[in-house]
Amino acid sequence: MDIKIIKNENPKEKPPVDNLGFGQYFTDHMFVMDYKKDIGWHNARIEPFGDLVMHPAATVLHYGAEVFEGLKAYKLEDGRVQLFRPSDNMKRLNNSAERLCLPQIPFEDLMESLLKFVDHERDWVPDKKGTSLYIRPFMYGHDPYLGVHTVENCSYIIIASPSGSYYSDSDLSPVKIMIEEEDVRAVRGGTGYAKCGGNYAASVRACDRAEDKGYSQVLWLDGVERKYIEEVGAMNVLFKIDGIIVTPELNGSILDGITRRSCIRVLKDMGYEVQERKISVDELVDAMENNKLEEAWGTGTAAIVSPISVLAYKGREYQIKDGGVGELTNKLYEKLTGIQWGLIPDEYGWTVQI
Ligand SMILES: *Cc1c(COP(=O)(O)O)cnc(C)c1O
């Protein structure tokens, strides 16, 4: 793959590492590649970061033709940069694209563009503990006309943002979650398993309402029966009930999270029984009432592990154990971030160094 490099002649000053926040600052360059139905993918380049110019009829603006990914690059003590399971993200991008009728990108080209771009921007990977370079690959359709159809013009872009630690100090902070009874995030047959912007657009209202009531996120129920647990906010969710780990099975409306996958693997290796199956909200309430819900946590690239302290359902609040961070939740966080930050050996071959 031929990648042209157009250097940014006006590099920005790097932001202070103590106050990066999330997705506020961007590096000096972006990777861009274009697609036209007749010629396929072409014009791969790393160019100065800047605004995009779009036709006002562009498909993405009207019909939401967009998919994305999210992963992080970490600075190791020896100066190398490390990615976590990047090939899983690149495969999922093509999976999501297939659902939205966006064109596939050859896997080797996805990997090469990602690794070359991160290498090019490596000075932007912050080195303070817990910080990372958040990488956002995305693809969108931009045909310059209004009919609904499979797009013929597309772009694939990678941008990157030096971001702070998700937790302000090194301790995990538990969150209060509201079980959402009205809105649903996705339905089977829809786009729930695809990482696409439209899923997020549809979920903001419920999250806003939960925040107004003092909760950080919602726990989504399935779209058909409103009975089975699906995800928490934009994270997968796992429970420890009476010593056994249970998590909703991948049923088409749940996103196949890479952190979820990694947690399941690590938990099995720790000797836990992990059940991927349907979990009804009634089963969960029952477990809480009988003091059998020992731990609950969300998983996703941003927070890695996010402990849940309180679940609210039908106007009642249930505190999980003492409302603190569960022992296993903490262990998982230490294990996964340990591998990601290069502090403990990666026995799984999940990391890629640049
Ligand atoms: C990205 C995402 C997740 C988490 O996936 P990871 O690969 O672990 O980051 C979970 N649910 C939704 C809806 C997501 O978009």
Side-chain angles (χ1 to χ4, degrees), residues 171-313:
D171 294 329
L172 296 175
S173 34
V175 290
K176 292 170 71 176
I177 300 293
M178 195 182 94
I179 301 182
E180 172 65 31
E181 295 168 68
E182 194 177 327
D183 288 1
V184 296
R185 193 191 78 90
V187 291
R188 262 158 282 160
T191 54
Y193 71 87
K195 215 166 170 72
C196 65
N199 290 344
Y200 279 71
S203 71
V204 169
R205 184 172 76 169
C207 297
D208 274 0
R209 288 194 298 224
E211 273 177 25
D212 287 346
K213 290 183 185 153
Y215 299 95
S216 354
Q217 272 300 346
V218 298
L219 187 73
W220 298 105
L221 298 180
D222 77 278
V224 180
E225 296 180 71
R226 317 267 175 118
K227 192 174 158 191
Y228 297 102
I229 310 293
E230 299 242 307
E231 298 200 49
V232 57
M235 288 186 281
N236 296 112
V237 66
L238 288 86
F239 304 98
K240 181 166 173 251
I241 302 175
D242 212 9
I244 293 172
I245 312 301
V246 286
T247 188
E249 65 193 352
L250 301 175
N251 58 359
S253 58
I254 291 172
L255 193 108
D256 182 0
I258 294 158
T259 321
R260 172 189 183 276
R261 208 181 285 173
S262 308
C263 272
I264 291 174
R265 179 67 203 274
V266 166
L267 285 164
K268 283 185 175 166
D269 286 357
M270 284 177 176
Y272 284 96
E273 182 183 342
V274 183
Q275 299 177 348
E276 295 178 62
R277 60 167 172 85
K278 283 183 171 177
I279 308 158
S280 71
V281 66
D282 291 342
E283 177 186 348
L284 200 63
V285 167
D286 193 59
M288 291 191 288
E289 280 176 344
N290 293 300
N291 218 21
K292 291 206 164 141
L293 181 60
E294 292 160 4
E295 298 187 33
W297 66 92
T299 65
T301 294
I304 310 302
V305 165
S306 177
I308 300 171
S309 57
V310 169
L311 280 169
Y313 185 54

